[in-house]
Amino acid sequence: MFDPDSQQLAIGVVGAGLMGRGIAQIAAQAGIDVQLFDTRAGAADEAVAAITATFDTLRAKGRLDAAARDGAVAHLHAATALADLAGAALVIEAIVERLDAKRALFRDLEGVVTDDCVLATNTSSLSVTAIASACRLPGRVGGFHFFSPVPLMKVVEVIDSAVGDTRVGDALTGLARRLGHRPVRASDTPGFVVNHAGRGLLTEGLRVLGEGIAQPADVDRILRGAGFRMGPFELMDMIGLDVSHPVMESIHDQYYQEPRYRPSPITRQRLAGGLLGRKSGRGFYTYTDGKADMPPAAPLPALTSTPLWVDGADPARRSALLARLAPGVVLDEGAQPGPESACVVFPVGGDATGAALDAGLDPYRTLAVDPLFMEGHLTLMTTPVTAPGFRDAVWAALGHGGAAVSVIHDSAGFVAQRVVAMVVNIGCDIAQQRIATPADIDAAVTLGLGYPLGPLALGDRLGAATVLAILDGLHAFYRDPRYRPSPWLVRRARLGVSLLTPES
């Protein structure tokens, strides 16, 4: 087994595309001798030249000194044949994402390298076990999944196959640290950690769109307001539906149609129509010179004299909302609303219809505000029969008070509640399946997906009991096993402990 800290470490990288170049770059910068090979004639030389130009740019910007630049260049070599990798202690493949191609490459490599050379695959979606099982020595194969662009995305998933030697994962973990990346150790399961954990944002966002609750721009605005760097539709447009939809289908199929990962016909239809996103100029948004033409938010209605009655069952939530109202808004301070008042309620896991009926309120005058995400963007939800005048009165009172407001149709769990609950629940189930440790799950998601917090820390911020209440509300409303809570979440909510609490 190779020593990841050895100053004489020599590795091979097969595949001179974007991923292979990135891996070769950070390895050379770490003082590791790299042989870069590609089956296309001239590709390895082109890659070495491009990486050298990158080192020159980093030198010009002061991010590498002259000695570091020269040392990195000296460690980088273009291999002319697979046989040039014979002396490597580790070979990392970054070729096309096809099982047959990766198996064939590793079989060829076994005829070149020594028996103690480790073979690592950068696969993002294929089974590492399936790749390893085709090898003469399957125990030496491990997963080493980087994210693009490799030098900037400081996380790498280290995958232990079902037939692998644990020392392979140990060595790859040490190498990841040497390369300046955070290693996340995971078992060989569909989607590993990052692609697995990312299902909640995308598939639940599509579910919201499919139910006609809100349009893509409002869903994205709401979720950015909840702390996400990008909403699901912006993200799918950036990735491209030709990439994201097959991943959704693959993970769903590999988990034998697990409802939590159910894809949407919306993306299948749009993919068939060539609406890939930014790369095709049109996706959920249209693009001009690579920039999204985002539809503007709906204009604010004028302020009215309609009184507002705000549910006082939770005084803290009521006070928080009152602080967001425009000056001069008339408040109905009665224990029950007057006959001309607009009514505001705060359901958690429920919808505006249910909240109005449970409280004995007139659904024609009732609206709901998401109480869990009130610090930034506000979500205002109508019942199917809310009169436009009452809707506009509450919307104007909040919007003219300075708050950004999105108005949506009735939805159990609003938008942010249900999306965040799904993100948390899937993260909990990754922990429950022992795919990775709680700490590694959260590190992988924050570094790999750019979420404001990892799914378990995000659940802790809302409170495990609150997340459980949202999921229970969704499950009761939809009667869909998609929303059944993970045992990891249920037990920690009942015990009152952090979702990051590992098994003792």
Side-chain angles (χ1 to χ4, degrees):
M1 201 63 56
F2 71 88
D3 177 2
D5 297 316
S6 171
Q7 295 306 303
Q8 286 75 48
L9 181 60
I11 72 170
V13 176
V14 180
L18 185 63
M19 292 299 293
R21 290 182 186 192
I23 296 167
Q25 176 188 325
I26 63 173
Q29 284 182 256
I32 297 167
D33 207 52
V34 182
Q35 292 280 349
L36 180 59
F37 174 75
D38 196 283
T39 54
R40 182 173 69 82
D45 288 314
E46 293 168 9
V48 168
I51 297 168
T52 300
T54 298
F55 291 149
D56 291 337
T57 300
L58 294 173
R59 170 74 182 93
K61 292 181 177 180
R63 296 177 186 173
L64 282 181
D65 60 30
R69 180 266 178 205
D70 293 345
V73 171
H75 282 297
L76 192 60
H77 314 279
T80 57
L82 208 59
D84 292 346
L85 279 55
L90 162 71
V91 178
I92 305 168
E93 71 80 10
I95 65 170
V96 63
E97 192 73 348
R98 285 201 344 254
L99 180 61
D100 60 339
K102 293 180 188 293
R103 282 176 156 180
L105 171 62
F106 278 12
R107 283 194 295 264
D108 289 344
L109 281 167
E110 285 196 302
V112 170
V113 300
T114 61
D115 282 358
D116 59 355
C117 175
V118 170
L119 304 180
T121 171
N122 184 56
T123 182
S124 61
S125 61
L126 299 174
S127 164
V128 178
T129 303
I131 296 169
S133 64
C135 293
R136 177 172 56 86
L137 298 174
R140 62 158 153 196
V141 177
F144 208 35
H145 177 216
F146 290 86
F147 296 82
S148 184
V150 174
L152 300 181
M153 298 292 284
K154 299 292 187 178
V155 62
V156 57
E157 293 175 316
V158 177
I159 312 303
D160 294 296
S161 89
V163 293
D165 185 331
T166 58
R167 294 177 301 163
V168 170
D170 294 341
L172 291 174
T173 296
L175 178 59
R177 293 194 178 99
R178 179 174 175 178
L179 298 177
H181 280 46
R182 168 64 155 87
V184 171
R185 195 79 174 261
S187 61
D188 187 19
T189 52
F192 309 136
V193 175
V194 175
N195 282 329
H196 188 168
R199 296 312 90 207
L201 178 68
L202 300 186
T203 60
E204 196 62 21
L206 286 163
R207 180 88 180 238
V208 168
L209 177 62
E211 290 176 20
I213 292 163
Q215 292 301 302
D218 275 321
V219 174
D220 286 344
R221 289 186 188 106
I222 290 166
L223 289 167
R224 284 199 307 273
F228 290 89
R229 185 174 62 189
M230 300 179 78
F233 301 103
E234 296 169 298
L235 182 58
M236 283 186 282
D237 270 8
M238 184 186 75
I239 296 169
L241 283 189
D242 55 333
V243 175
S244 58
H245 180 76
V247 170
M248 284 188 275
E249 286 192 331
S250 174
I251 290 177
H252 183 239
D253 290 344
Q254 288 182 74
Y255 272 102
Y256 295 102
Q257 289 71 52
E258 162 58 54
R260 291 191 184 107
Y261 313 130
R262 188 185 300 128
S264 168
I266 293 172
T267 50
R268 184 183 63 218
Q269 291 164 354
R270 297 178 76 85
L271 176 60
L275 304 177
L276 307 183
R278 191 174 298 174
K279 65 179 69 174
S280 67
R282 185 180 170 199
F284 290 102
Y285 304 103
T286 56
Y287 292 82
T288 303
D289 297 327
K291 185 177 180 181
D293 301 322
M294 297 287 288
L300 273 176
L303 282 168
T304 72
S305 59
T306 301
L308 263 61
W309 180 88
V310 181
D311 184 18
D314 187 324
R317 288 172 180 167
R318 184 177 191 275
S319 295
L321 186 75
L322 295 184
R324 309 295 295 274
L325 296 179
V329 171
V330 178
L331 287 178
D332 179 346
E333 302 281 9
Q336 294 296 320
E340 303 299 325
S341 297
C343 308
V344 179
V345 291
F346 303 104
V348 173
D351 61 5
T353 296
L357 296 177
D358 289 346
L361 302 174
D362 180 358
Y364 287 85
R365 297 187 286 132
T366 301
L367 298 100
V369 172
D370 188 340
L372 303 185
F373 298 93
M374 292 177 61
E375 294 180 1
H377 199 102
L378 292 179
T379 305
L380 184 64
M381 184 164 68
T382 61
T383 76
V385 296
T386 300
F390 290 106
R391 175 201 63 202
D392 290 351
V394 179
W395 184 3
L398 292 168
H400 288 285
V405 182
S406 286
V407 181
I408 67 170
H409 296 290
D410 218 356
S411 163
F414 294 87
V415 172
Q417 283 185 26
R418 62 191 288 177
V419 170
V420 170
M422 285 296 287
V423 169
V424 174
N425 198 40
I426 289 173
C428 285
D429 223 48
I430 293 172
Q432 183 64 48
Q433 294 177 57
R434 312 301 195 266
I435 293 170
T437 67
D440 272 0
I441 293 167
D442 273 14
V445 170
T446 52
L447 292 170
L449 296 175
Y451 287 5
L453 295 169
L456 305 179
L458 192 57
D460 282 348
R461 187 170 74 177
L462 286 182
T466 299
V467 177
L468 181 58
I470 295 168
L471 291 168
D472 283 344
L474 288 163
H475 192 259
F477 183 84
Y478 288 106
R479 299 176 175 88
D480 187 341
R482 170 184 183 82
Y483 300 110
R484 71 192 189 284
S486 168
W488 186 278
L489 170 64
V490 173
R491 294 190 179 105
R492 281 153 185 77
R494 294 185 67 189
L495 291 168
V497 299
S498 167
L499 294 175
L500 284 157
T501 305
E503 296 290 314
S504 59

